[in-house]
Amino acid sequence: LQEAHPTSVQELCEAAGLTWCRLAVDVRTPQPDDRPVRRRGVAIAGSGQAPAEVFILPDLPLPERTLVARLSLGGTDTYAASYRAPPGVSWFETKPQQAVGFARWLSTVEGAVLFGADANTPLVDAVDFAATRTHWQSGLRRLNGAPGDDLLVGPQKIHGLDDALRLWLPDHPEAEA
């Protein structure tokens, strides 16, 4: 869940019959200069056994926009993650910094990973993945040589995950039209 307000997300979870919910804002230590928007982070919810561990990625610019839960699914440790990018029109370079940090973490994870994201990108989501372009693509002059958000969701991604659409399309060629 993205943009999860602590009060309303609990109501949503109850209505959906979910038995547990973890919020990033409950894991992160609030700072004295936090604006109210920092209380709307991300969440992960489910039913059945609660996560063995939940954590944020504290070294990112906006850690409350990440949450990772380590779950045991069928006896296998699985990481479920929620990610929400800051909008580039107001957060500027913070957006690709957040994406690159999250992509770097993903690239280190061994085993099963599932993540949901509000990535606020791509700019061009081409059927031919090689033609996909993000808003803060690596190589843009405004990045001054820093890597872009394409390391998370573009053809230059640095992790081994594929998005659900890219996995679904080969079995449904009629949808590409």
Side-chain angles (χ1 to χ4, degrees):
L1 305 165
Q2 285 80 34
E3 244 181 296
H5 189 279
T7 304
S8 58
V9 77
Q10 294 299 338
E11 293 174 16
L12 173 71
C13 290
E14 288 174 21
L18 301 174
T19 58
W20 58 266
C21 180
R22 301 295 184 270
L23 285 85
V25 296
D26 292 339
V27 178
R28 177 183 169 267
T29 303
Q31 302 300 308
D33 61 343
D34 280 354
R35 296 187 336 241
V37 71
R38 302 274 318 251
R39 289 292 304 155
R40 290 193 312 261
V42 297
I44 299 174
S47 58
Q49 185 177 352
E53 174 185 23
V54 294
F55 57 93
I56 59 173
L57 303 178
D59 295 332
L60 298 186
L62 300 165
E64 71 277 4
R65 290 175 178 240
T66 65
L67 185 63
V68 179
R70 185 171 55 86
L71 305 162
S72 179
L73 299 177
T76 301
D77 270 355
T78 302
Y79 290 91
S82 185
Y83 171 83
R84 179 172 162 242
V89 296
S90 54
W91 287 91
F92 307 105
E93 289 84 0
T94 301
K95 181 179 189 260
Q97 292 166 359
Q98 183 90 352
V100 170
F102 188 71
R104 286 182 174 147
W105 173 79
L106 279 174
S107 73
T108 68
V109 178
E110 295 183 18
V113 178
L114 169 71
F115 83 91
D118 176 355
N120 288 318
T121 204
L123 176 64
V124 176
D125 195 4
V127 172
D128 175 4
F129 194 47
T132 296
R133 294 292 173 262
T134 62
H135 292 94
W136 290 82
Q137 188 86 17
S138 296
L140 290 177
R141 188 176 3 199
R142 64 185 169 182
L143 286 171
N144 298 315
D149 56 357
D150 54 311
L151 272 61
L152 178 62
V153 296
Q156 302 303 317
K157 62 186 175 63
I158 59 172
H159 55 81
L161 282 74
D162 288 315
D163 67 64
L165 176 63
R166 300 295 183 290
L167 295 173
W168 182 82
L169 279 173
D171 294 333
H172 300 87
E174 71 285 355
E176 292 185 29

